[in-house]
Amino acid sequence: MLIHGAGFRDNKYLNYWGRIPKTLEKHGATLYYGHQDSWGNIKYNASVLKDNLTKILSETNCERVNIIAHSKGGLDARYMISSLGMADKIASLTTIATPHHGSRTIDLLYKLPKWLYKITAFFTNSFFRMLGDKKPDFYAASRQFSTVNMKTFNEQNPDMPPVYYQSYATVMKNPFSDIFLFWTNLFIWLIEGENDGLVTPESATFTNFKGILRGTTRRGISHADAIDMRRKNFTKKASVNGIADIRDVYIDIVSGLKQMGL
């Protein structure tokens, strides 16, 4: 099951995961999607994931699934596993650029006047409701990323056996690496240090941390690159020590889980 992050939906013709799904299917994987809201809060989105997963297990007679989650999707998945009693249905959870420990940048934005935050939330919710969200809650969902809230979240949602957990981080090498994330990367870098345009390695580091994905070029790997948003390789040249194609990362993840018997 592939679980998307905030601000996007699982669309049939504009896939959040770029070329990754077709590549995994060519290698024998059977894929399903979370179909949770773009800006639902963690608790609500987790309930949607649980309902969808229950249907999938019933229809396929499969006992457990492996989850790969990007960004906030990792938090939605963790809540589903730990707080909604789905641990026995999950073989593994792989998180990529998930803000497990929150953001000090969000802590600063938290201090903005509530009326300004709520006006932004109103227009954001209205827009995403038109796109298909059933219960968008930008105000609550975005504020859940504070370091204080995530500390509480981690205490209330510990790792649950027998689920195997692993995590990855990504980083841009400079603000020009991804024009769409130029300002956010620069802003977060000034406050917290290196990041992928939205999440720092410090925040993404969690159980069985597999390292920082940096790529083979001067660009690094942005938050968007991590899900193949550009639909192209980082470089035409293969590399032994770096990543030339983000799809290779996902092939390695799935292959590794298979070798573990998951």
Side-chain angles (χ1 to χ4, degrees):
M1 176 181 271
L2 299 177
I3 301 180
H4 68 73
F8 292 87
R9 296 183 56 80
D10 288 315
N11 295 313
K12 182 177 181 180
Y13 299 107
L14 188 61
N15 198 300
Y16 177 84
W17 301 89
R19 302 166 298 165
I20 295 167
K22 288 186 177 180
T23 298
L24 293 181
E25 288 174 338
K26 286 182 179 179
H27 283 76
T30 301
L31 301 182
Y32 296 91
Y33 299 90
H35 292 294
Q36 78 277 28
D37 277 3
S38 304
W39 278 110
N41 62 53
I42 293 173
K43 182 178 180 179
Y44 173 74
N45 273 2
S47 69
V48 174
L49 292 177
K50 179 179 179 178
D51 290 343
N52 290 335
L53 178 56
T54 299
K55 292 178 182 178
I56 292 170
L57 295 176
S58 175
E59 293 172 357
T60 61
N61 292 319
C62 180
E63 295 182 358
R64 299 190 299 169
V65 302
N66 293 285
I67 294 175
I68 298 178
H70 178 242
S71 195
K72 178 179 175 291
L75 305 180
D76 297 338
R78 285 181 55 201
Y79 190 94
M80 176 188 69
I81 295 170
S82 300
S83 294
L84 300 185
M86 294 296 283
D88 63 331
K89 305 299 182 183
I90 310 299
S92 69
L93 171 61
T94 300
T95 60
I96 300 175
T98 292
H100 294 288
H101 303 288
S103 167
R104 286 186 281 123
T105 304
I106 291 294
D107 291 346
L108 290 178
L109 295 177
Y110 213 148
K111 297 179 181 180
L112 290 173
K114 285 188 177 182
W115 64 266
L116 179 60
Y117 220 110
K118 289 187 175 181
I119 288 176
T120 302
F122 172 80
F123 287 105
T124 302
N125 291 342
S126 298
F127 177 73
F128 281 99
R129 191 173 285 109
M130 288 190 295
L131 294 182
D133 272 18
K134 293 182 178 179
K135 291 186 65 175
D137 191 355
F138 177 85
Y139 183 82
S142 60
R143 291 167 77 90
Q144 287 179 318
F145 298 141
S146 73
T147 56
V148 173
N149 286 337
M150 285 312 305
K151 183 176 185 297
T152 300
F153 176 89
N154 291 332
E155 293 171 351
Q156 296 176 346
N157 294 276
D159 291 353
M160 300 292 289
V163 181
Y164 172 75
Y165 294 81
Q166 60 181 357
S167 60
Y168 292 80
T170 54
V171 295
M172 293 163 57
K173 291 190 176 179
N174 60 70
F176 296 97
S177 298
D178 190 324
I179 193 64
F180 297 107
L181 295 171
F182 176 92
W183 290 109
T184 54
N185 174 263
L186 180 60
F187 190 53
I188 295 173
W189 180 81
L190 292 173
I191 299 171
E192 304 182 65
E194 67 174 355
N195 65 89
D196 65 3
L198 287 176
V199 179
T200 66
E202 179 184 8
S203 186
T205 300
F206 207 62
T207 305
N208 293 320
F209 183 58
K210 299 299 182 179
I212 302 173
L213 306 177
R214 296 181 180 276
T216 58
T217 68
R218 295 180 179 180
R219 284 183 48 231
I221 299 179
S222 72
H223 202 72
D225 291 331
I227 52 170
D228 195 38
M229 189 166 286
R230 284 185 174 79
R231 273 85 169 155
K232 64 179 182 180
N233 299 358
F234 302 126
T235 174
K236 294 181 179 179
K237 297 180 180 179
S239 173
V240 175
N241 299 316
I243 301 167
D245 186 343
I246 194 64
R247 292 177 295 177
D248 293 336
V249 173
Y250 286 82
I251 292 173
D252 289 343
I253 290 173
V254 175
S255 297
L257 294 172
K258 183 178 181 180
Q259 291 175 7
M260 294 174 64
L262 300 173

